[in-house]
Amino acid sequence: MKTTKATWIWYPGDFEIWLGNIFNNRRTERGAMFPPFWKQDSHYPTVEFSTKVNLKQEEVIAVWAEGTFNFALDGKLISEVSAPANTFWYEESEAGDCYRIRIPQGEHALNLKVWNQQTPPAIFIKGKTIQSNNSWLATYEDKLWIDENGVAHGSGIYVPAASWNFDEPNQRPSHYSLKWREQHPVSCETIAPDKKLYDFGCETFGHLDFRNVSGQGTAFIYYGESREEALDKEYCETLDMMQINNGKIRKPLDSKAFRYVYIESTGNINYQLSMYEEYAPYDPNHTGSFRCSDDELNRIWDTAARTMDLTTQEFFMDGIKRDRWTWSGDAIQSYLMNYYLRFDTECVKRTIRQLRGKDPVTAHVNTIMDYTFYWFKSVLDYYHYTADVHFVREMWPRMVTLMDYTLSRTNADGMAEGQADDWIFVDWVDFPMHKRGALCFEQILLYKALETMAQCARLLSEDTAYAKYSEKAASLLHNIKETFWNDDAHAYLHAMEDGQLNRQITKFPNMFAILYGLSDEAEQKDIMENVMLNPNIDPITTPYMRFYELEALCMAGLQKEVLAEVRSYWGGMLKEGATSFWEKYVPSETGTQHLAMYGRPYGKSLCHAWGASPVYLLGKYYLGVQPTKPGYQEYEVRPSLGDLDWMEGDVPTPHGMIHVYMDKQQVKVNSTEDGGWLVVAGQKIRIEANKETIVRL
């Protein structure tokens, strides 16, 4: 989206990559730093910014920079020392070092080259008509030169500069941080005079705040998402040590995830304890909601929304305790849930950019093949909900190089097979499942990635690319059906391993064949009867894949059955005391078994983004709101009560809100968006903006 006001600008993606490195390296494991195990890129240390102006009269611009810069007017370098008097001078300002530059009347080319090794080079320029914004161009190429007419030559490539909402000179990108709010423990249990267990009442994320500290000694701090974890000094996942000398704390504590905090102290220290919760702000007037006749379902929606809010920070992270990383498979679900909750499009773009990183491509996203395929689809999903073609255009070159890498690793049949340096994830499963050879699941995801490339190419008028990717998608689709569909099983089989079919049947490829449009109506019916609703097929035990499983059931019109599953699965976590939703839930487990994962007694994340899918399901398939053209240029409201007596809720859109109310007698829709249709009880009624639409049932 083009901006006109003055704002900080930088090379596209560099802010996200720099911030992502800080973000992804904050993970700890029992006090030790734990960096991600994939390639981390860095920002370009030198960036040149360029624009052309045509001034009716001379103008003085103010320049602030993140880094050291030079300035060229019409290809000629000008400095405070070399410029004539009153044309280039330094001023102190509350926002930091500022330079004033007088630009003469007429047509001119302005170029600023900024160097900054520590943070992304960025500039803020403000004049009467000259403003730094994303109409400027940026390049990192050092083989570029400017001739005497201000024309760029060489192999450098200029791209539109990036910006966000740093709209004042003192709002520097390098100073970006989230908001904080104070929270207090709801109880304090004294285990012994120097041993106290604090309960903050619910899952939270932030840093502890010690006040009115006195004495001298050491506080050993053990965090827990559960009471058991906090009290288990040997196996709790996160811990801290705080040294106090004459009432002074040696260093502040970093943010952690916890509900419970157990503190053992030595010496004679006293303190009062609270915490500052870290959060990403959102517009309360532009946010999703859901209420219905079922109090349990209301609690499930509230808990899912809190789970999403806790895992929405600088980026969409997986879980707040353990990984605290950006994972593409987790993120694509967060994006979709976000479109029905906060509609924070900037966090979506930040996360997509950060996950992609820079060229050259040397590994799959997060090293996981399926996560690469999800990444492609996330760009098109974003366009579908926002109609922001500028972002698709920004991502397109990196989509092409990532797809080049992907296709370079396919077999003779055009299918993706995991290489030695790939991680084939699919899901955490409790049943034997080979992940070698050409998995049907992976081919379906690759088909969707190729189809995404074709659709984006058509959107950007890249005709040659459109033909190329359309042909590859069609060829792969043919091979998938020929290789994996089995008429006797009425299902897609698992994999091709060493030239032999692995005839195992799982829900994964079959439900994605429905979700991604590979199956016609007859085939979908077969899959539903023989796989999705077949009790003999191994069940899914993570919210991650239950997201897709329940969406496939909703697409088949099984809303009543899905509500029963939501109550059983997510309601089951609430019955176990959950205040946010978990990474995995196996109903047959009991007690502390619910806390264990990865062979560790407290390895499971009890606040995991992919656990929040009821927000998406209830918004899209019960309130029934979804765009049918990009950015809600056209949309439909197709509500379904399931087994509820009534429901109502709000869905945010790019420019407003859609409110839906339904009971057994009527449906009411209020929307600020034109272009909508209410589809209910065999009727299709036009929704007029800012006018209540009512249908009697």
Side-chain angles (χ1 to χ4, degrees):
M1 305 290 184
K2 292 293 184 182
T3 61
T4 56
K5 62 184 177 183
T7 188
W8 284 93
I9 59 174
W10 54 85
Y11 191 85
D14 272 12
F15 172 71
E16 291 81 0
I17 288 169
W18 166 79
L19 185 63
N21 287 342
I22 297 171
F23 182 88
N24 281 328
N25 284 279
R26 294 188 305 191
R27 176 181 175 179
T28 63
E29 188 164 304
R30 290 192 61 79
M33 68 92 65
F34 197 102
F37 47 78
W38 51 80
K39 177 174 72 80
Q40 298 180 73
D41 296 314
S42 295
H43 64 270
Y44 294 120
T46 303
V47 174
E48 184 164 4
F49 301 94
S50 174
T51 194
K52 291 184 178 181
V53 299
N54 188 354
L55 301 180
K56 294 181 180 179
Q57 58 186 24
E58 71 172 18
E59 184 170 325
V60 175
I61 60 173
V63 180
W64 291 265
E66 295 254 69
T68 304
F69 75 94
N70 68 25
F71 174 76
L73 181 65
D74 300 326
K76 181 179 180 181
L77 284 177
I78 300 174
S79 71
E80 184 180 15
V81 177
S82 63
N86 300 318
T87 59
F88 195 125
W89 67 96
Y90 169 80
E91 286 185 0
E92 292 184 358
S93 76
E94 293 182 358
D97 293 346
C98 174
Y99 286 87
R100 300 275 181 178
I101 306 173
R102 192 178 303 277
I103 310 298
Q105 177 186 1
E107 295 185 17
H108 301 286
L110 279 60
N111 291 77
L112 290 89
K113 186 171 286 191
V114 186
W115 171 75
N116 191 334
Q117 197 71 37
Q118 285 72 41
T119 65
I123 58 171
F124 187 102
I125 294 179
K126 190 167 187 177
K128 185 176 181 180
T129 65
I130 301 172
Q131 318 275 7
S132 57
N133 50 51
N134 56 15
S135 68
W136 285 57
L137 300 176
T139 182
Y140 64 89
E141 178 57 72
D142 62 354
K143 297 176 183 177
L144 192 78
W145 54 275
I146 311 295
D147 67 17
E148 65 274 11
N149 297 313
V151 178
H153 297 270
S155 57
I157 299 175
Y158 273 107
V159 298
S163 64
W164 183 25
N165 64 352
F166 304 108
D167 298 333
E168 297 294 337
N170 60 351
Q171 294 175 332
R172 293 174 175 262
S174 65
H175 295 174
Y176 171 68
S177 66
L178 297 178
K179 301 294 184 182
W180 301 90
R181 56 193 166 206
E182 189 174 8
Q183 306 285 3
H184 298 274
V186 298
S187 68
C188 174
E189 180 182 349
T190 300
I191 309 296
D194 58 351
K195 300 176 182 179
K196 294 182 178 181
L197 178 68
Y198 296 88
D199 178 7
F200 282 82
C202 63
E203 183 87 3
T204 187
F205 182 85
H207 66 263
L208 294 176
D209 183 47
F210 288 79
R211 296 183 178 179
N212 299 321
V213 179
S214 64
Q216 185 164 319
T218 302
F220 296 92
I221 305 166
Y222 306 92
Y223 301 90
E225 292 189 302
S226 64
R227 175 186 173 90
E228 292 86 352
E229 181 182 10
L231 289 172
D232 193 334
K233 298 189 296 183
E234 185 175 359
Y235 291 108
C236 74
E237 296 279 314
T238 49
L239 46 79
D240 267 323
M241 180 180 69
M242 187 178 67
Q243 295 176 328
I244 298 170
N245 186 10
N246 294 325
K248 294 183 178 181
I249 299 172
R250 179 188 170 200
K251 64 177 182 178
L253 301 175
D254 293 329
S255 292
K256 301 287 193 301
F258 57 89
R259 172 179 172 175
Y260 297 90
V261 179
Y262 176 55
I263 300 177
E264 288 190 355
S265 57
T266 64
N268 62 336
I269 61 175
N270 295 287
Y271 57 86
Q272 291 178 326
L273 187 68
S274 62
M275 64 88 61
Y276 280 96
E277 185 176 61
E278 182 178 311
Y279 70 98
Y282 60 85
D283 181 356
N285 297 314
H286 191 233
T287 187
S289 68
F290 182 84
R291 277 294 174 271
C292 69
S293 54
D294 185 338
D295 288 339
E296 182 182 34
L297 203 59
N298 292 335
R299 289 183 59 214
I300 289 170
W301 191 93
D302 289 343
T303 306
R306 176 160 178 80
T307 303
M308 267 300 296
D309 285 343
L310 284 168
T311 55
T312 303
Q313 298 195 20
E314 294 96 332
F315 304 93
F316 290 109
M317 67 164 74
D318 61 335
I320 62 175
K321 179 180 78 170
R322 191 193 58 246
D323 288 14
R324 300 169 60 178
W325 290 343
T326 53
W327 292 93
S328 182
D330 305 58
I332 193 171
Q333 293 190 3
S334 292
Y335 307 148
L336 292 171
M337 292 181 275
N338 164 72
Y339 298 136
Y340 287 89
L341 185 62
R342 310 302 183 205
F343 214 83
D344 184 347
T345 55
E346 292 299 330
C347 193
V348 174
K349 290 188 290 185
R350 285 199 302 274
T351 308
I352 290 174
R353 289 172 178 134
Q354 193 277 326
L355 282 165
R356 174 56 183 86
K358 292 182 180 292
D359 289 332
V361 182
T362 58
H364 281 297
V365 177
N366 303 128
T367 76
I368 302 178
M369 190 162 71
D370 21 322
Y371 281 25
T372 289
F373 303 151
Y374 289 132
W375 183 87
F376 289 106
K377 184 176 181 294
S378 72
V379 177
L380 190 60
D381 285 347
Y382 171 80
Y383 175 71
H384 179 60
Y385 280 92
T386 67
D388 181 2
V389 69
H390 301 289
F391 182 69
V392 180
R393 186 170 288 112
E394 176 194 329
M395 288 292 104
W396 178 249
R398 295 185 184 184
M399 294 175 73
V400 170
T401 51
L402 183 58
M403 183 54 76
D404 288 345
Y405 173 84
T406 297
L407 295 176
S408 74
R409 297 162 73 86
T410 54
N411 64 21
D413 296 319
M415 293 189 182
E417 290 194 51
Q419 307 295 314
D421 53 344
D422 293 337
W423 178 3
I424 309 301
F425 177 55
V426 185
D427 191 19
W428 301 120
V429 297
D430 298 316
F431 53 87
M433 185 177 79
H434 290 169
K435 295 183 181 180
R436 55 187 174 85
L439 273 66
C440 180
F441 170 83
E442 299 290 347
Q443 312 321 312
I444 292 174
L445 266 61
L446 175 57
Y447 162 76
K448 191 62 176 180
L450 287 166
E451 186 184 56
T452 294
M453 291 295 292
Q455 291 183 53
C456 290
R458 182 170 57 185
L459 176 67
L460 302 175
S461 299
E462 297 281 351
D463 296 337
T464 302
Y466 172 71
K468 170 185 174 181
Y469 295 121
S470 295
E471 180 182 351
K472 287 186 176 295
S475 175
L476 181 58
L477 177 59
H478 173 79
N479 288 344
I480 290 171
K481 289 184 173 290
E482 287 291 311
T483 305
F484 298 108
W485 178 256
N486 185 275
D487 286 328
D488 295 330
H490 302 284
Y492 286 94
L493 304 182
H494 177 57
M496 180 66 72
E497 301 174 5
D498 303 322
Q500 300 293 319
L501 264 176
N502 179 329
R503 304 181 70 84
Q504 183 179 13
I505 298 175
T506 70
K507 292 183 177 180
F508 305 120
N510 288 283
M511 64 193 186
F512 274 83
I514 294 174
L515 294 169
Y516 287 174
L518 277 72
S519 301
D520 59 23
E521 186 174 347
E523 194 172 282
Q524 289 180 29
K525 186 174 183 293
D526 282 346
I527 291 172
M528 293 303 299
E529 291 178 357
N530 294 280
V531 182
M532 304 307 297
L533 301 177
N534 185 347
N536 296 317
I537 300 297
D538 290 306
I540 293 171
T541 58
T542 64
Y544 177 49
M545 280 291 151
R546 296 228 76 185
F547 177 103
Y548 298 113
E549 177 186 21
L550 296 187
E551 181 165 26
L553 297 182
C554 283
M555 290 174 65
L558 300 175
Q559 270 76 350
K560 288 184 180 180
E561 291 79 359
V562 169
L563 280 185
E565 289 295 314
V566 170
R567 292 185 185 103
S568 173
Y569 193 77
W570 281 266
M573 284 187 261
L574 293 182
K575 289 180 177 67
E576 293 292 340
T579 61
S580 56
F581 287 129
W582 305 347
E583 182 176 14
K584 187 177 182 182
Y585 173 58
V586 181
S588 61
E589 294 178 344
T590 60
T592 56
Q593 289 178 316
H594 287 302
L595 309 177
M597 202 168 174
Y598 310 110
R600 308 202 301 267
Y602 311 106
K604 185 181 295 179
S605 165
L606 300 189
C607 178
H608 220 74
W610 70 34
S613 55
V615 168
Y616 172 72
L617 295 171
L618 292 169
K620 184 174 181 180
Y621 293 104
Y622 292 86
L623 297 178
V625 178
Q626 61 175 310
T628 52
K629 284 190 176 180
Y632 284 85
Q633 298 170 58
E634 290 186 10
Y635 65 94
E636 71 173 23
V637 178
R638 191 183 292 264
S640 174
L641 276 175
D643 60 12
L644 299 171
D645 293 327
W646 63 268
M647 66 177 181
E648 69 175 324
D650 298 286
V651 173
T653 68
H655 309 294
M657 299 291 296
I658 300 171
H659 180 82
V660 180
Y661 173 88
M662 184 179 190
D663 59 28
K664 294 180 179 179
Q665 286 76 45
Q666 63 180 342
V667 177
K668 296 189 290 186
V669 178
N670 288 277
S671 175
T672 60
E673 295 275 8
D674 275 321
W677 293 93
L678 173 58
V679 183
V680 65
Q683 303 179 67
K684 187 174 182 180
I685 297 95
R686 189 72 177 181
I687 298 170
E688 295 185 38
N690 303 310
K691 181 179 179 180
E692 188 170 64
T693 303
I694 303 177
V695 173
R696 308 294 177 186
L697 303 177

